[in-house]
Amino acid sequence: MKVLISALLSLTVVLSTFLPGTAAHEPGDQITYIPLGDSYAAGINDQRQLDIGYSDYIARDLAKRGQLEFYTKEFTRSGFDSVELLDDLKTNQALREQLKDADLITLSAGGNDLLGILNVNEQTGELFFNRQELSKVYFSLNNRLAALHAEINAINPNAEVYALGYAFPLPALDTLQKAAFNDTFEFLNSTIERQVTRAGGIYVDIDTDFGRDAVQWFPNPLDIHPNTTGYRVMANAFIDTFHHPESFTDVSGTHWAKLYIDGLTVRQVMSGYDDGTFRPQGKLTRADAAQALYNVLYLDEVEETVPNPGFSDVPVTHPNYKAIAALTDLGIFIKAEKFNPNNSLSRAQMAKIFDLTFDLPDGEPKAFKDLKGNYAWAAPHVDALSSAGYVSGYDDDTFRPNQSMSKAQIAKILQLMLEDRKY
């Protein structure tokens, strides 16, 4: 008998604490990547169409690093539950042969076991489920996922296996139904985490970034699939787990900016120098800033040709030409005779280009006394960043707009922005 989800009984799952495994890959390794699983692995979007999914974004990231040797998502299947995936692993010879050569396997499995028994009333938005079917899932999912991992390990014991958790797929539910569904949903992810860890793999937490109200990534209230931006958020959770931050000789483990620098280098937003340094106290040049924001916006994935901005000091052979041209075309940098690529980035310039890049909401006026006259243009941008908590002024009520910022200071602001935006 079907009943409203508000009648769901609470289930508490006590988990053991596991330490994640140590990844076997090294920077520069060539990787054969095979994703497995359901529609999330395939990349079905919120309009129920095959689109760019998290595995595609992971493959793009590996390609940018020069690490992608082979990738296919032909073995992902929309609608697959754990039973069907296990059967495919046992009987699909092409899949078994492909997995033997895999260095990296990502897995989305278990979602359809649970979510497949849920039904949304398209008129009322209410969620229904069958209690008996739910009980069966509770008792069988552990064994099903354990069998899946055992089969994968039997085919290829040397592959790195990452199991992705699920994002809460119904943020449009009312508060009562959302609360009732919460324990059931957490049971799904905790079971996935427990079984991949026991099998020697690594769990990728998706739920934390999405939370319970991610309507921006699940815009269709009648569908449980995210949009493409949601899939990028999932991919970034994997990237943050899979890749190692760069080690720099001048950034110790106790450096105040290490966590921020680590976050940006893992995502390849910023990088160091050939001599193994990051130079955190050095100045970020305008060209370096353009490249970092180009990376943040994933503009290297856009195959559009942008016009030459015509800067006399930025020829097409300049290493940051594409970034400077693309951001100028977007209006983040202003066209002028010169770009001055090697000049350091001032606090006022930083506020403007970061505000425009992240499209921050208008902020409360802070009335810094030195953001007047020639620097009045910077006031709304500083207000936006200051109101969001990314920058502050000085005790004398100045912002000091012409003062340069160090790479470490820029890294902190940029990483905090990325953490808030989440993609």
Side-chain angles (χ1 to χ4, degrees), residues 30 174 222 237 353 413:
Q30 292 299 291
D174 63 41
L222 302 179
I353 65 175
I413 296 170

Side-chain angles (χ1 to χ4, degrees), residues 27-31 52 55-69 71 232 235-236 239 243 246 265-269 271 291-302 421 423:
D29 285 352
Q30 292 299 291
I31 294 173
I52 298 173
S55 64
D56 299 299
Y57 286 126
I58 291 171
R60 286 184 183 183
D61 175 77
L62 292 171
K64 290 178 188 178
R65 299 169 193 265
Q67 291 184 272
L68 185 65
E69 182 171 324
Y71 160 69
R232 191 184 286 277
N236 283 346
I239 290 166
H243 291 290
E246 290 186 47
T265 58
V266 164
R267 295 274 185 93
Q268 291 195 307
V269 173
S271 60
Q291 188 63 53
L293 298 182
Y294 182 78
N295 297 338
V296 162
L297 295 175
Y298 306 102
L299 294 177
D300 58 331
E301 298 177 6
V302 179
R421 193 184 71 172
Y423 68 92

Side-chain angles (χ1 to χ4, degrees), residues 334 346-353 371-382 401:
I334 296 175
S346 71
R347 284 168 58 83
Q349 291 169 336
M350 175 278 301
K352 177 185 176 182
I353 65 175
L371 293 184
K372 300 176 181 178
N374 291 338
Y375 283 103
W377 60 268
H381 305 298
V382 173

Side-chain angles (χ1 to χ4, degrees), residues 64-110:
K64 290 178 188 178
R65 299 169 193 265
Q67 291 184 272
L68 185 65
E69 182 171 324
F70 179 81
Y71 160 69
T72 180
K73 62 177 182 179
E74 65 175 299
F75 302 112
T76 60
R77 298 287 188 275
S78 179
F80 254 15
D81 61 19
S82 60
V83 173
E84 292 168 310
L85 178 55
L86 180 60
D87 182 67
D88 201 39
L89 282 168
K90 290 181 176 180
T91 62
N92 187 334
Q93 195 59 36
L95 169 57
R96 293 178 67 86
E97 290 300 318
Q98 195 72 72
L99 286 182
K100 289 178 182 178
D101 295 327
D103 303 296
L104 169 65
I105 298 169
T106 57
L107 179 66
S108 286

Side-chain angles (χ1 to χ4, degrees), residues 8 66 71 103 108 136 180 185 214 249 268 285 308 312 314 331 337 350 359 363 368 380 400 415 420:
L8 240 173
Y71 160 69
D103 303 296
S108 286
K136 291 178 182 178
F185 178 74
T249 57
Q268 291 195 307
T285 68
N308 189 322
S312 62
V314 184
E337 179 183 351
M350 175 278 301
D359 193 23
F368 293 112
R400 304 178 190 177
Q415 177 62 16
D420 286 344

